[in-house]
Amino acid sequence: MYIIMKHIRNIALCGLAFSLVFGVSSCTEKESPEAKAVIAESDYIEFAATNAEAKVITVYADGDWTVDAPDWISVSPEKGSGTTEGVSISAADNSDASGILLPRRDTVIFHGAKLISYSYVIVYQNGDKYRGAVDATISSLASVKDGNFVNVSGAMVMASDGSKIVLSDGSANMLLSSKQSVSAGDVVSFRGVKGTEGGLPTVSELEDFKITSSSEPSYPEATDISTTLDALSVSAPQYVSVSGVYDGSSLTVEGAGKTVSGTSSTEDLGALSGHKATFIGYAISANASKVIMIVTKVVDGGLDQVIYFRDDFEWLEPWTTASGAGDAVGTNTPDTTAPNIFTTLGESGFFEEFTARGYGYIWGPTADGGWSDSLGDDNPKVMYLQTNYLKFGKTSYNAGIKLPKISAITGKENVELSFDWCWQITGAAKPDLMTLSINVEGGGEYVGGEIESAQSQVDGESRIEWQHVSVVLNDIGPESRIVISPTNPNPITSNTRKQNRWYLDNILIVPTEGGSNPGGGDNPGGGGSASGTVLLEDDFEWLSTWAGAEAKPAGDAVGTNTPGAAAPNVFTAETCVGFIEAFTEKGYTYIWGPTSDGGWSDSLGSDNPKVMYLQSNYLKFGKTSYNAGIKLPVLAALASTSDVEFTFDWCWQITGEAKPDLMTLSIDIEGNG
């Protein structure tokens, strides 16, 4: 009996079996213990909607295990002891008499007998996502429960910027995040999952996006928000207009704390840099500092300011958001998150974008104590990202920035460079006591001194706060590169610190006050000034085509103080053929008087006394018994009525005996004004 027992003692229930057959009261082994550790080979299984093949896995356990499963999932075996191979999991067909049902998901749980250990397997079975989907319009989407699948039709595209689309059904508007290629007036249909974002209905997981027809969109009357911009809140896309000055990035509205950021797939907003402009389109979001619009139409109000270069670094946003960059200056927090653009952002494409925009990065000190733009192994990689501006330097190493070439300048110009900067402080509010220097490569110079900080200090402690700098640079040309950096590549030396760390934002380069035009040359009207808006300018140099005729050139009475200088009549001189046509094409009108009733006329008929003459290069009016004047072109650049400054040069004629035509001029306005 002993020999037989050794061979079969591991058989379950052996004690019962042998007590019946042999009269033995028990066996020498106990039952397997419940599992304290259970692990399923897979934690996710997916099945087809119908006729799905079973999935076979292994269950690893250190004792007895069992399984719990929903009624549409079968597991075989349903229990086991120890590691068990060949455990089969299968799913019933996900269908009924009407067809495929919605997708379904549930959990299979393998565990010990007393639920001491658990192993979860998520089981997903495909189905018809749109079984029972809600047919919706833009207006009815808000009433659909989030998570429901929807079929949307009859939605017209009102505006698009390539990544977002404003849709309308005539009663309600909706913003759709999508890179679908559409045009205003396209009527579209699509499927997706209804959700809510910012309190507004959205549709995600788009499928079957189709353009079903196209027609001309009918826009409502735009609401002018120029005077109410700061109070604007957006609960759905609103069709609005707003007027201000566009700097190439944002529209600044007089008296408003918020700016307007516009995007468009139909309008070239970049061409408006430095112009007064009216944006017309859909406001899609608003926060405390900015309103974002998808622009459908712009009205160019003419040049407000010549801007040679501007960067507020808002283009950093995709990287600052993705990397969680902080805002040290805005929060006065010196240790905020500052991702390194070379390491943290190394594979993100940031530095490629930085250099594509024309920027250069410099660092120091090099081995010989100078600066370098090397990106090799010796580069200490000390430029960092903030929201949305740049940070430079770390202990023992400095860094600076080289601005792009200023291609908007075609000659040599004196320019005003302005920017915001501040030094970094330690966690104990001890400042990096440093100055900045400005240098110019490729022609031009800065003759000012070092840029010092006026950041407040109390007992040696400092805040991080922006300092605005404005300096003049001389003889800047299209090849000039402006370099901003700490004054010395060698960090300051003290008992406690060896760092010159600093922040930079809001770079602007414009002509100096009273400067010259971008193309060079004088600008009597102040059009090259940083504060001037040129609506109309004419120095009459275009007259040279006729005034400089080789056969009979016009004279320069004023320049030579010669009242009898040659003055070809623009109506009769052989050398002035085509002049009147060019004069009128530019928008000018010639007037003369007195007429028979003592007034003025713009008639070019036989009664015209023909009393306008050429000089080099300016105009002369009038003769004995007849006067003449000029009507200027319409100021088409004005979008609305405005106060303007009007300047010109004039003088009266004198006789051969130097007796003056004692006269006065009058200025009159036709139309508004």
Side-chain angles (χ1 to χ4, degrees):
M1 287 299 297
Y2 175 75
I3 296 175
I4 296 174
M5 281 291 295
K6 286 197 64 172
H7 284 288
I8 64 175
R9 70 182 191 176
N10 290 326
I11 298 177
L13 303 180
C14 66
L16 175 62
F18 282 93
S19 65
L20 293 174
V21 177
F22 300 106
V24 179
S25 60
S26 65
C27 93
T28 61
E29 294 295 323
K30 297 180 180 179
E31 297 180 14
S32 296
E34 62 188 39
K36 295 182 179 179
V38 180
I39 300 175
E41 180 183 17
S42 300
D43 58 10
Y44 178 84
I45 294 175
E46 185 172 327
F47 290 106
T50 58
N51 301 316
E53 293 185 2
K55 309 291 185 180
V56 177
I57 66 170
T58 298
V59 175
Y60 301 92
D62 62 355
D64 295 343
W65 58 266
T66 188
V67 66
D68 296 332
D71 57 9
W72 59 276
I73 298 174
S74 298
V75 181
S76 178
E78 296 182 347
K79 60 178 64 178
S81 182
T83 297
T84 307
E85 298 178 349
V87 177
S88 175
I89 302 177
S90 57
D93 284 351
N94 188 22
S95 62
D96 62 12
S98 299
I100 304 298
L101 296 170
L102 290 168
R104 55 185 173 179
R105 177 193 300 260
D106 215 322
T107 305
V108 172
I109 306 173
F110 293 91
H111 58 84
K114 293 185 178 180
L115 301 182
I116 295 175
S117 178
Y118 303 82
S119 183
Y120 296 89
V121 179
I122 295 173
V123 180
Y124 176 84
Q125 187 170 27
N126 288 285
D128 180 1
K129 293 186 293 186
Y130 294 97
R131 173 79 177 261
V134 178
D135 292 329
T137 63
I138 301 301
S139 298
S140 65
L141 266 176
S143 62
V144 178
K145 184 179 179 181
D146 285 359
N148 279 7
F149 287 87
V150 291
N151 302 311
V152 181
S153 60
M156 176 173 280
V157 175
M158 307 304 293
S160 171
D161 66 0
S163 63
K164 295 182 177 62
I165 303 172
V166 176
L167 297 173
S168 177
D169 60 5
S171 297
N173 300 328
M174 187 189 80
L175 186 66
L176 187 69
S177 293
S178 174
K179 294 184 179 180
Q180 296 287 339
S181 179
V182 293
S183 300
D186 289 343
V187 178
V188 300
S189 64
F190 51 90
R191 292 176 161 188
V193 179
K194 190 269 179 177
T196 300
E197 184 174 327
L200 303 177
T202 62
V203 178
S204 60
E205 301 180 31
L206 295 182
E207 295 185 73
D208 298 331
F209 192 99
K210 299 175 182 177
I211 299 174
T212 57
S213 64
S214 295
S215 61
E216 283 296 320
S218 178
Y219 292 104
E221 182 177 352
T223 302
D224 188 349
I225 59 172
S226 302
T227 59
T228 58
L229 185 64
D230 287 348
L232 181 70
S233 62
V234 177
S235 59
Q238 303 175 35
Y239 195 62
V240 300
S241 68
V242 59
S243 299
V245 176
Y246 190 61
D247 61 14
S249 175
S250 299
L251 191 75
T252 300
V253 180
E254 185 176 1
K258 294 180 181 179
T259 59
V260 178
S261 178
T263 59
S264 180
S265 60
T266 59
E267 300 291 336
D268 182 9
L269 301 183
L272 295 172
S273 183
H275 285 226
K276 291 183 177 180
T278 298
F279 285 1
I280 303 171
Y282 287 91
I284 59 174
S285 71
N287 58 32
S289 62
K290 183 180 294 184
V291 172
I292 297 177
M293 286 182 64
I294 299 180
V295 179
T296 59
K297 180 181 178 181
V298 295
V299 178
D300 186 352
L303 190 66
D304 178 74
Q305 181 183 30
V306 175
I307 297 178
Y308 291 147
F309 176 79
R310 181 188 185 278
D311 198 345
D312 60 3
F313 292 110
E314 290 303 310
W315 59 271
L316 304 182
E317 192 277 330
W319 290 277
T320 55
T321 297
S323 64
D327 178 8
V329 184
T331 61
N332 189 35
T333 307
D335 59 352
T336 188
T337 302
N340 187 298
I341 68 163
F342 294 100
T343 55
T344 305
L345 304 181
E347 302 298 325
S348 69
F350 173 84
F351 196 72
E352 291 78 4
E353 177 69 17
F354 180 79
T355 54
R357 288 173 177 264
Y359 286 107
Y361 158 79
I362 65 170
W363 61 269
T366 59
D368 59 3
W371 292 97
S372 174
D373 57 8
S374 165
L375 298 178
D377 293 339
D378 53 348
N379 171 20
K381 303 180 176 66
V382 289
M383 184 163 70
Y384 309 87
L385 210 57
Q386 291 287 271
T387 303
N388 285 315
Y389 50 95
L390 294 172
K391 176 186 177 184
F392 300 87
K394 72 172 184 178
T395 302
S396 299
Y397 282 98
N398 294 316
I401 191 169
K402 188 181 296 184
L403 304 189
K405 293 179 180 180
I406 311 173
S407 58
I409 298 177
T410 57
K412 293 287 187 180
E413 298 290 337
N414 295 340
V415 303
E416 179 184 352
L417 166 68
S418 63
F419 56 89
D420 295 327
W421 83 287
C422 72
W423 60 32
Q424 170 70 313
I425 61 174
T426 67
K430 303 299 182 183
D432 291 4
L433 297 170
M434 59 174 289
T435 61
L436 291 183
S437 286
I438 298 172
N439 296 287
V440 183
E441 300 177 358
E445 63 177 348
Y446 168 62
V447 296
E450 298 172 7
I451 307 301
E452 298 183 354
S453 174
Q455 286 173 251
S456 59
Q457 295 186 61
V458 178
D459 296 329
E461 296 186 356
S462 177
R463 290 180 54 83
I464 312 178
E465 51 193 10
W466 288 117
Q467 309 292 300
H468 186 69
V469 172
S470 180
V471 298
V472 173
L473 311 179
N474 298 328
D475 298 324
I476 301 300
E479 296 298 315
S480 300
R481 299 288 300 277
I482 299 168
V483 180
I484 308 173
S485 66
T487 297
N488 194 306
N490 293 284
I492 59 175
T493 300
S494 72
N495 294 328
T496 58
R497 298 189 312 284
K498 291 184 177 180
Q499 63 264 353
N500 293 337
R501 302 163 299 171
W502 60 289
Y503 301 91
L504 175 68
D505 199 4
N506 297 324
I507 303 169
L508 179 67
I509 301 174
V510 299
T512 55
E513 185 74 22
S516 54
N517 282 321
D522 293 333
N523 180 25
S529 161
S531 60
T533 302
V534 178
L535 301 174
L536 172 68
E537 182 180 26
D538 198 344
D539 59 7
F540 290 110
E541 291 302 309
W542 59 275
L543 303 185
S544 61
T545 301
W546 297 273
E550 185 176 352
K552 293 182 179 181
D556 180 8
V558 181
T560 62
N561 192 31
T562 306
N569 188 300
V570 301
F571 294 96
T572 59
E574 293 179 356
T575 55
C576 291
V577 173
F579 174 85
I580 286 296
E581 289 78 6
F583 181 80
T584 54
E585 184 175 350
K586 285 180 176 288
Y588 289 108
T589 302
Y590 157 80
I591 63 171
W592 58 271
T595 60
S596 57
D597 58 4
W600 292 95
S601 174
D602 57 9
S603 166
L604 296 179
S606 58
D607 53 349
N608 170 19
K610 302 181 177 65
V611 289
M612 184 164 66
Y613 309 86
L614 279 185
Q615 291 287 273
S616 181
N617 286 313
Y618 49 98
L619 292 170
K620 175 185 176 183
F621 300 88
K623 71 173 184 179
T624 303
S625 300
Y626 282 98
N627 295 317
I630 190 170
K631 187 184 300 184
L632 305 188
V634 172
L635 300 181
L638 281 178
S640 60
T641 58
S642 300
D643 294 337
V644 303
E645 180 183 0
F646 175 37
T647 65
F648 57 94
D649 298 326
W650 83 288
C651 72
W652 58 33
Q653 171 68 309
I654 61 174
T655 67
E657 295 79 31
K659 303 296 183 182
D661 292 358
L662 297 171
M663 59 173 288
T664 59
L665 291 184
S666 288
I667 298 173
D668 295 294
I669 300 173
E670 297 178 359
N672 292 328

